[in-house]
Amino acid sequence: MIGKLIPYALSLLLTATYGSYAWGGETHSIVVDKNGTGHFTTIQEAIDAVPDFHTGETVVIFVKKGIYREKLVLPETKRRIRLAGEERDHTIISYDDYASLNNMGTSNTCSFLVAGEEITVEDLTVENTAGRVGQAVALLTDGDRILFVNCRFLGNQDMVYTRKQGGRVYFRDCYIEGTTDFIFGSSTAWFEGCTLHGKQDSYITAASTPETSPYGYIFNRCRVTLAEGVTSVYLGRPWRPYAMTLFMHSELPAGIRREGWHNWGKESNEHTARYQEYKNYGPGADTSGRVAWSKQLTDEEARQYEIPRDTSFTLWPTSSEPPTTEKTTNRYVPVSESLPGYRQ
């Protein structure tokens, strides 16, 4: 039972302050319902109610279906929160800021900022509805050990921003769509069984991995799809010189450019960017025309990316077997299955 995740003292505190709430056979710490049947009508109020620098067991915030028009902030003072939606496609965090609006800049456009640590978000949609007006972030992660399970991220340019250098972010069974550089940033991020949907001829990723970080973006058993009429898409380009991106065991459609990767107009990036592929499949997976400065991994080289061989991934899924080409379908995955050893 999710309610059992809350230690007795904190449970008493939350119950005394907000009461308890049963939904679908489970008791949740805090319930959000925009229609007024929960503890709060906004998600921000529920996040604010969790004590800062909480060190106990995970606090569960259950969000009932609805469109929550909020510019949501989960600040760095928050720890061990599990934010769970009632139904992924109908529990939506939505805003519409964009970079050129009042010169706010890209980072300030995000609909949802996650800056805390040991945060789990599941069964939610996060969107930026500004349209094709330039940079408009839906999700910005600026914390460490952040997990997204069965979520949707909708927008256009610069849509999912993993900003924190050294931060670790894990996406499992998520749907991510956008136009240009719609997954970008400095963090180490593992994408497992996700669908990436490109909506125009452009670039999927724009990593800015630091030179000192061995891992940037790793897409394992993912599926790339393209909108009708989209026929010329790069897997990525380097926002910073040492960008690291790997696609492995993933389905790549017709419409992925033969070159695969772009140097962002700088020949010097070809000597530093770390672009790799391993055992992908589909019409776009033919590597015979790939740029010479990208790399096709050998079996031995690919083994370094088996979780948890490196300590960067010790909180992420563990397996004694190497990744397989078995396609993962979008499905709910309990946190206990996704992250053995993740503190709950």
Side-chain angles (χ1 to χ4, degrees), residues 94-274:
S94 181
Y95 216 76
D96 58 0
D97 276 345
Y98 54 96
S100 61
L101 178 66
N102 300 321
N103 296 313
M104 70 172 58
T106 301
S107 296
N108 293 323
T109 66
C110 60
S111 302
F112 186 14
L113 167 63
V114 183
E117 294 188 0
E118 297 187 42
I119 305 299
T120 299
V121 180
E122 60 192 47
D123 296 331
L124 285 168
T125 292
V126 182
E127 65 180 11
N128 188 309
T129 61
R132 301 191 182 191
V133 291
Q135 298 94 336
V137 178
L139 173 71
L140 192 159
T141 64
D142 207 20
D144 187 29
R145 291 172 288 175
I146 301 170
L147 167 66
F148 297 95
V149 179
N150 192 38
C151 291
R152 289 194 309 166
F153 303 97
L154 311 179
N156 293 287
Q157 182 177 347
D158 290 5
M159 201 269 300
V160 169
Y161 185 6
T162 60
R163 183 169 66 179
K164 184 180 179 68
Q165 290 192 16
R168 292 164 290 181
V169 189
Y170 182 79
F171 296 84
R172 179 153 184 170
D173 294 340
C174 291
Y175 174 87
I176 306 169
E177 72 169 34
T179 54
T180 298
D181 304 335
F182 59 93
I183 303 172
F184 72 112
S186 301
S187 302
T188 292
W190 186 287
F191 300 80
E192 181 74 23
C194 294
T195 296
L196 317 176
H197 184 66
K199 301 197 294 185
Q200 74 175 36
D201 293 336
S202 197
Y203 312 87
I204 296 174
T205 68
S208 55
T209 319
E211 179 181 1
T212 55
S213 177
Y215 305 107
Y217 290 156
I218 300 173
F219 298 89
N220 185 43
R221 295 188 295 172
C222 290
R223 179 174 182 241
V224 176
T225 62
L226 302 177
E228 184 177 356
V230 175
T231 60
S232 180
V233 173
Y234 290 93
L235 296 173
R237 59 176 178 170
W239 184 23
R240 296 291 183 266
Y242 290 90
M244 185 278 178
T245 302
L246 165 63
F247 280 82
M248 61 182 185
H249 303 295
S250 293
E251 181 180 351
L252 305 181
I256 297 297
R257 292 183 63 103
R258 283 174 53 81
E259 307 97 300
W261 310 93
H262 192 275
N263 67 5
W264 206 311
K266 294 182 179 180
E267 189 273 338
S268 60
N269 285 337
E270 298 178 9
H271 303 286
T272 53
R274 297 164 285 172

Side-chain angles (χ1 to χ4, degrees), residues 9-61:
L10 181 58
S11 180
L12 284 179
L13 172 63
L14 292 171
T15 302
T17 307
Y18 307 113
S20 61
Y21 194 93
W23 179 260
E26 296 179 327
T27 300
H28 304 274
S29 306
I30 302 174
V31 174
V32 178
D33 180 11
K34 63 176 300 181
N35 295 316
T37 67
H39 301 106
F40 300 105
T41 58
T42 70
I43 304 171
Q44 190 66 65
E45 289 175 301
I47 291 172
D48 293 345
V50 179
D52 286 345
F53 304 107
H54 165 59
T55 58
E57 300 300 327
T58 301
V59 176
V60 181
I61 299 174

Side-chain angles (χ1 to χ4, degrees), residues 41-81:
T41 58
T42 70
I43 304 171
Q44 190 66 65
E45 289 175 301
I47 291 172
D48 293 345
V50 179
D52 286 345
F53 304 107
H54 165 59
T55 58
E57 300 300 327
T58 301
V59 176
V60 181
I61 299 174
F62 179 70
V63 184
K64 295 183 69 175
K65 289 187 291 186
I67 297 176
Y68 294 82
R69 180 172 167 77
E70 301 184 46
K71 198 170 177 66
L72 190 62
V73 176
L74 196 159
E76 62 183 4
T77 57
K78 303 301 179 181
R79 302 285 191 274
R80 300 181 183 173
I81 292 176

